[in-house]
Amino acid sequence: VRSVFRDEKSVGKFTKVAALLILFETLYAVYQLATGDITEDAQQVKELFVENGITRVTGTLRHPALLSLFTVLLLPFCVYGAVNGRSRLLDISAIVAGFVVICLTYSRTQIVLYFFVVGLCLFYFKRPNGRSILRNKKIIYTSVMFSFVIMAGAIYNLENLYARFFDAPESSTTSRLILAKIALNMFVEH
């Protein structure tokens, strides 16, 4: 892995692959949303994907949370490519598409992680000249415009977002808290 990240050519290819994967998953998720076609595995647990009348996409994966986690894990490579790569438009498109597909999964945790990961990357990564990304006016203006688009989308989809975030079944939250407690105990014990 280190040898991949030491070679500029390999990093360029890796960031392109990450961007293309995100774009493919987004296009497939939009297709699923438009046609109602979900994977065979997802069909077996369809109640997970239609809650309170909200359809959650799965892309080519088995569960909406897997799709959104997969996307969040690829985001740092797209941010790096957007800052340091040659195919900036591809990487920026993937960053925006990543947000779209995560929103289509209605995965609450991953929506928050999207902003955390992108913010962390913008804070941590440097431009090729060694200067901070956050001092670039283009990045600031693009971020402000993207924020307006996000707010407009949230307002347009407010009813579904509210239902997913605040009317979620109590059992979902309870079981997640129990699992988190078990994981924390395992971490402390070992």
Side-chain angles (χ1 to χ4, degrees):
V1 172
R2 282 186 183 157
S3 64
V4 169
F5 289 102
R6 285 187 183 153
D7 179 27
E8 190 176 316
K9 200 174 197 179
S10 296
V11 172
K13 288 179 183 177
F14 196 74
T15 58
K16 283 181 187 175
V17 168
L20 290 172
L21 281 170
I22 290 175
L23 291 171
F24 173 77
E25 289 294 341
T26 303
L27 292 173
Y28 192 77
V30 169
Y31 166 77
Q32 281 183 319
L33 190 64
T35 63
D37 183 31
I38 56 175
T39 61
E40 187 177 326
D41 291 334
Q43 188 69 35
Q44 296 171 359
V45 285
K46 191 169 184 173
E47 67 276 359
L48 286 174
F49 309 106
V50 182
E51 295 177 357
N52 300 329
I54 300 171
T55 302
R56 300 175 65 197
V57 299
T58 60
T60 59
L61 303 170
R62 300 176 74 169
H63 193 282
L66 288 176
L67 174 59
S68 56
L69 177 63
F70 177 72
T71 304
V72 166
L73 290 174
L74 291 176
L75 278 173
F77 303 107
C78 294
V79 173
Y80 184 85
V83 173
N84 296 311
R86 292 189 179 124
S87 58
R88 289 192 171 130
L89 183 60
L90 175 68
D91 292 311
I92 291 170
S93 299
I95 293 167
V96 172
F99 180 73
V100 170
V101 78
I102 290 170
C103 286
L104 291 176
T105 66
Y106 287 93
S107 183
R108 297 166 291 206
T109 306
Q110 301 304 330
I111 290 172
V112 172
L113 275 177
Y114 173 89
F115 290 109
F116 178 75
V117 166
V118 171
L120 191 62
C121 289
L122 291 176
F123 180 76
Y124 181 73
F125 292 156
K126 303 280 186 213
R127 291 187 288 175
N129 63 8
R131 297 184 68 200
S132 172
I133 296 172
L134 295 176
R135 293 185 182 219
N136 186 339
K137 290 182 181 181
K138 288 181 185 177
I139 299 276
I140 294 169
Y141 294 143
T142 304
S143 299
V144 168
M145 292 302 293
F146 188 54
S147 298
F148 283 131
V149 170
I150 290 169
M151 285 188 272
I155 291 168
Y156 176 75
N157 201 19
L158 193 59
E159 190 176 311
N160 287 340
L161 287 172
Y162 184 86
R164 177 71 180 134
F165 279 81
F166 298 108
D167 294 339
E170 184 66 33
S171 61
S172 174
T173 306
T174 305
S175 61
R176 288 170 193 249
L177 290 173
I178 290 169
L179 290 172
K181 184 177 180 182
I182 291 168
L184 184 61
N185 288 339
M186 287 171 58
F187 179 78
V188 170
E189 287 175 13
H190 301 290

